[in-house]
Amino acid sequence: MELTVQQLRCFLAVAEELHFTRAAQRLHVAPPSLSQQVAALEKRLQVQLFHRTSRRVELTAAGAELLPLARRAVGSVQEVQEWARRRREAGERVVVGLVAGGPLCSAVLSAAARAMPGVGWELRRLGFADSLRALRSERVDAALVPAVTLPAAADLRAVPLWREGRVLVVPTGHRLAGRSEVGIDETTGERFVGVADDDATLDEWFVSPRPDGRRPRVEPAAGTLEEVLDLCAAGMAVNIAGATVARGYARPDLRFVPVRDVPDVTVALVQRAGDPGRALAALERVALRVARGQATRFGAAPPL
């Protein structure tokens, strides 16, 4: 009968708990199975490791001598397992698409890099219309996507992370730049610039038609959020964006005015449907943890 690491782990649990039931709970095994492992170890070593009575469990002298040796042996195996994990991770790369950055997105990516230091992380800027195409064509592995309505396609999986209000993006000299908030109907006469090439998406973002039935002038004349902001700063158009854009893209030639009477947008981690693999599954867990713990710090809120 060979000596196994599992036998040593069982011995350590009992030696440290001095109670078979508690040791079994710690290892998530049934007490009879634990007892069998310890008995097999005693038979293999040809020594008694514990004095057992109906009321207590104690180490024998041999058990006390084995204790530091078993700790070192189990620790060495764990080091080998950790080494193997790092080797596996070293060959992994994860490409994350980003539509609109900001402090919350940065917090998610930073936490993921800390949690998986062996993974190679690559960030790719995407336009709104390009984010789902980039996922489907496997140019990115996951994307942080803001949306009024989350993607519901069968080939994609969207995990809501946080929600945020919407802001009107205007140049500093605009008639609404000094307002603390605006109503959506006050913006109907403006020229809006967007980045999506899907009419339904543009209508959702810019609330078209408006409550009074009018439709604003919306033109998909930019490819990225950065291009949108440049057009707005130049006074050529205005835009409606998620509220956290005001923190991530603050600049002296723009103002971000809250829009009080429109639904929030949701930022989701979107991946291809199916088994995501270890790294992407871990990214999802990290993203959810960061969003739950830090959303309110940056003016966002948990998803509904």
Side-chain angles (χ1 to χ4, degrees):
M1 182 186 299
E2 292 294 327
L3 177 66
T4 69
V5 175
Q6 181 62 15
Q7 290 169 355
L8 291 176
R9 287 197 175 106
C10 291
F11 163 73
L12 286 175
V14 177
E16 290 164 2
E17 298 289 343
L18 293 179
H19 195 283
F20 274 78
T21 301
R22 287 198 301 267
Q25 292 170 344
R26 172 171 146 183
L27 296 177
H28 305 290
V29 300
S33 176
L34 177 72
S35 297
Q36 290 170 5
Q37 292 285 345
V38 172
L41 179 62
E42 289 178 322
K43 182 177 181 180
R44 174 67 180 83
L45 299 178
Q46 298 183 2
V47 293
Q48 183 179 352
L49 299 173
F50 297 101
H51 292 301
R52 307 167 179 82
T53 70
S54 59
R55 303 185 61 181
R56 61 191 303 177
V57 175
E58 293 180 338
L59 280 167
T60 64
E65 290 176 11
L66 176 62
L67 187 57
L69 301 176
R71 284 175 174 154
R72 287 201 296 273
V74 171
S76 295
V77 170
Q78 289 171 343
E79 287 180 8
V80 171
Q81 292 171 335
E82 178 64 19
W83 167 82
R85 183 187 66 80
R86 290 195 302 268
R87 289 280 299 175
R88 288 194 304 271
E89 288 182 352
E92 289 192 69
R93 294 195 66 77
V94 175
V95 182
V96 180
L98 195 61
V99 174
L104 259 176
C105 292
S106 297
V108 167
L109 296 172
S110 177
R114 290 195 304 272
M116 295 172 280
V119 173
W121 296 94
E122 183 178 335
L123 185 63
R124 191 162 296 170
R125 290 282 178 177
L126 301 172
F128 279 87
D130 192 39
S131 58
L132 303 188
R133 287 197 296 264
L135 281 162
R136 287 175 170 133
S137 65
E138 301 187 12
R139 287 188 285 124
V140 300
D141 300 304
L144 290 165
V145 179
V148 180
T149 302
L150 294 181
D155 61 334
L156 297 174
R157 178 169 176 268
V159 178
L161 298 179
W162 67 84
R163 58 188 171 88
E164 54 191 72
R166 280 187 264 184
V167 293
L168 180 70
V169 185
V170 296
T172 54
H174 192 274
R175 64 185 178 88
L176 298 173
R179 296 278 295 276
S180 60
E181 63 177 19
V182 297
I184 191 64
D185 276 341
E186 297 180 80
T187 72
T188 302
E190 302 288 340
R191 177 195 180 219
F192 287 85
V193 61
V195 297
D197 58 5
D198 173 16
D199 289 342
T201 299
L202 289 172
D203 286 348
E204 282 190 329
W205 268 100
F206 299 116
V207 192
S208 181
R210 297 296 167 78
D212 62 4
R214 292 184 295 168
R215 285 185 175 274
R217 179 185 176 190
V218 179
E219 299 177 4
T224 66
L225 178 59
E226 289 80 0
E227 293 173 1
V228 167
L229 298 181
D230 285 339
L231 288 170
C232 291
M236 299 171 68
V238 301
N239 181 261
I240 291 178
T244 58
V245 167
R247 295 182 184 233
Y249 294 85
R251 45 192 284 183
D253 52 358
L254 288 175
R255 294 292 181 270
F256 301 87
V257 185
V259 184
R260 63 174 174 264
D261 51 357
V262 295
D264 290 348
V265 297
T266 299
V267 176
L269 180 69
V270 186
Q271 305 173 50
R272 290 180 292 277
D275 183 4
R278 189 194 56 80
L280 287 175
L283 172 62
E284 181 178 317
R285 291 192 298 271
V286 168
L288 286 168
R289 173 172 53 80
V290 170
R292 289 166 182 160
Q294 300 191 39
T296 55
R297 279 183 57 200
F298 301 108
L304 293 174

